[in-house]
Amino acid sequence: MKKTITFLSFSVIILIGLASALTNSGGSPGGKTGSPGDGNNCTQCHGGTAQIATAWVIPDMPFDGYVPGETYTITATGTHAGAVRFGFELTAENSNHAKVGTFTITNAAETKLVNSGKAVTHTGNGFTPSGNSKSWSCNWTAPAAGAGDVIFYGAFNAANGDMSTSGDVIYLSNYTVNEKIVGIQEASNLEDQISLFPTMAENNINLTWDNQTVKQIIIYNINGKQLINKIVNSSD
């Protein structure tokens, strides 16, 4: 009798383990991207130590950043020699770790929304690799102006296909994009009102202006980062 109870208990443990593995094969449960806002990654279910990967999350947008309200294609690609299955979850956060932008599914057969629509993951038909890698794409609509830098976070699972949560390799990757500064109105004779030299500098610049015309001066570097925001007073 004792042997029968032990056998049944062991069977239940195996079934529970297989059920967990099969459930996750249909996508992440959400909140596992490794982002500061999520706080967790795939190792919470699959164990091991996450490895850092470079350029696995690539937004299709200009070098000078995203335009608020515009829609872009985001591609996530995992690579691992010998992997039988791949899984992923992708999200976007600002510098305050808040979710930003809107994800839209473009391939419902292989991807779906998760985490209340704030992330994208694979489906039960979207884990089969081509060679040693697997790619997924989705659309992301940028937030309204003023959101600032956006960081895309992706967690990837390179699975060995043994239908368990052990023996898999987890990777984390992220990509930061700047908010493009748009809608700046320039005076037709601005060059007569402001003098700036040198135009390329590392530390110091000299700036003179016409107090009667110029009311505010904002200076950005070539990466779009704001360096100076000064309200001009008549006494300056």
Side-chain angles (χ1 to χ4, degrees), residues 10-205:
F10 182 65
S11 299
V12 170
I13 292 172
I14 291 177
L15 289 174
I16 291 174
L18 287 176
S20 176
L22 289 172
T23 299
N24 289 340
S25 70
S28 167
K32 306 295 183 181
T33 64
S35 72
D38 288 339
N40 294 312
N41 60 61
C42 300
T43 60
Q44 271 65 47
C45 296
H46 295 268
T49 301
Q51 302 183 35
I52 303 301
T54 302
W56 281 22
V57 178
I58 302 296
D60 178 22
M61 62 183 60
F63 174 77
D64 54 351
Y66 70 88
V67 176
E70 291 293 314
T71 299
Y72 303 94
T73 298
I74 315 299
T75 301
T77 301
T79 301
H80 183 87
V84 176
R85 297 185 176 193
F86 280 95
F88 88 110
E89 186 184 348
L90 172 72
T91 195
E93 297 180 0
N94 63 16
S95 58
N96 294 320
H97 315 320
K99 305 295 185 184
V100 289
T102 303
F103 285 103
T104 306
I105 298 303
T106 56
N107 182 355
E110 295 197 348
T111 56
K112 64 182 181 180
L113 295 175
V114 71
N115 198 8
S116 300
K118 301 301 183 181
V120 178
T121 188
H122 61 282
T123 67
N125 295 318
F127 54 67
T128 304
S130 176
N132 292 319
S133 66
K134 175 62 182 175
S135 290
W136 305 266
S137 293
C138 62
N139 282 349
W140 177 79
T141 301
D149 292 353
V150 171
I151 306 96
F152 292 94
Y153 295 93
F156 301 79
N157 179 20
N160 57 16
D162 66 356
M163 303 305 295
S164 74
T165 57
S166 63
D168 301 336
V169 182
I170 306 303
Y171 293 92
L172 301 178
S173 188
N174 64 71
Y175 191 97
T176 301
V177 295
N178 300 317
E179 178 181 355
K180 184 176 181 179
I181 307 301
V182 297
I184 298 176
Q185 193 171 30
E186 297 182 354
S188 58
N189 61 338
L190 185 62
E191 66 275 10
D192 298 328
Q193 302 169 28
I194 296 178
S195 175
L196 172 67
F197 64 93
T199 55
M200 296 293 291
E202 293 185 359
N203 298 310
N204 300 311
I205 60 173

